[in-house]
Amino acid sequence: MSSQNIALFDLDHTLIPIDSDHEWIEFLVRHNLAGDPEAVKRRNQEIYDKYTQGTLTIEESAEFVLSFLAMHPPYDLARYHEQFMQEVIRPAIQEQAVDLVREHHAAGDLCCLVSATNTWVIAPIARAFGFEHCIGTTPEYVQGRYTGRFTGVASYQAGKITRVEEWLKPMGLALKDFEKSYFYSDSMNDLPLLEVVTHPVATNPQDSLRQIAQDKNWKVLDLFA
């Protein structure tokens, strides 16, 4: 049994009131960096709608989202991401969300951001919140370029449990070793992980998740109310 507690956090609509994946593509469209603007915007919205409905497969999402990493050299991507952070992400980060993460760090909890969004997009956002540990879907990188595919298990739906356990294993730990395990999420897609932690927190939840949280007597937290 670990003497620490563990606190896991979803990102999109949980710690920030936007979807970083969706907004990243919108950013590229605005700056003419994504091909046919109308076609890309339309497909981006279709992907987002399927995600919120719980019908999106990770393969369908990755084929679309990761294609834009393959479209540009890493040097250019880094410049674009810095601009994305400045224009979109930092204005969306609110003090109460930063304070929530800070409280768990101050308590000595093992904290990790766990998002279905790819690590290339979320790693700088994780650092902005003070996370040392960050789990996301891993984009494949070969010979100095992103390929447009992902590697390993995607951190999506039940895959989040797999990825958290993979992250903990080299530390000689598993989720069951923590007396208290917290997971903050807004999304029905995260039900698998919410159901295995000791302290699930429905955070800014979708209506369907809010109802489940009420039925199961889970804590409901509205950060952005």
Side-chain angles (χ1 to χ4, degrees), residues 34-215:
D36 180 346
E38 290 309 312
V40 171
K41 281 178 70 72
R42 186 167 55 250
R43 183 61 177 148
N44 196 31
Q45 191 60 45
E46 289 172 0
I47 294 285
Y48 180 71
D49 290 343
K50 283 189 172 185
Y51 173 79
T52 57
Q53 293 158 8
T55 60
L56 180 67
T57 67
I58 193 61
E59 290 78 15
E60 185 179 13
S61 172
E63 181 182 6
F64 176 67
V65 176
L66 297 181
S67 69
F68 300 101
L69 294 186
M71 192 179 288
H72 302 283
Y75 175 80
D76 291 335
L77 286 170
R79 289 192 298 112
Y80 303 153
H81 201 297
E82 288 169 7
Q83 188 176 353
F84 174 62
M85 288 292 292
Q86 180 180 348
E87 292 181 10
V88 179
I89 298 299
R90 289 196 182 95
I93 295 177
Q94 299 185 22
E95 188 174 350
Q96 60 269 34
V98 175
D99 287 345
L100 175 64
V101 178
R102 187 180 292 132
E103 286 168 13
H104 279 282
H105 277 129
D109 298 344
L110 179 60
C111 297
C112 185
L113 186 70
V114 187
S115 174
T117 302
N118 70 81
T119 51
W120 186 87
V121 167
I122 67 170
I125 306 173
R127 288 193 293 271
F129 274 95
F131 285 103
E132 180 182 356
H133 304 287
C134 168
I135 295 171
T137 299
T138 306
E140 185 180 59
Y141 192 77
V142 176
Q143 295 180 334
R145 290 291 294 249
Y146 290 101
T147 66
R149 297 181 292 271
F150 68 90
T151 63
V153 176
S155 53
Y156 180 55
Q157 297 178 340
K160 283 195 175 183
I161 300 173
T162 302
R163 292 293 304 281
V164 168
E165 296 290 14
E166 287 177 350
W167 163 61
L168 290 171
K169 190 174 181 180
M171 302 181 227
L173 294 169
L175 263 177
K176 63 180 175 58
D177 296 330
F178 296 89
E179 182 179 349
K180 292 182 180 179
S181 52
Y182 299 83
F183 180 41
Y184 295 84
S185 176
D186 72 293
S187 176
M188 286 289 290
N189 288 296
D190 285 335
L191 264 181
L193 184 52
L194 285 164
E195 288 178 332
V196 299
V197 297
T198 64
H199 289 64
V201 184
T203 311
N204 322 308
Q206 300 169 332
D207 291 343
S208 49
L209 181 58
R210 187 180 296 271
Q211 185 61 56
I212 288 174
Q214 290 168 349
D215 293 345

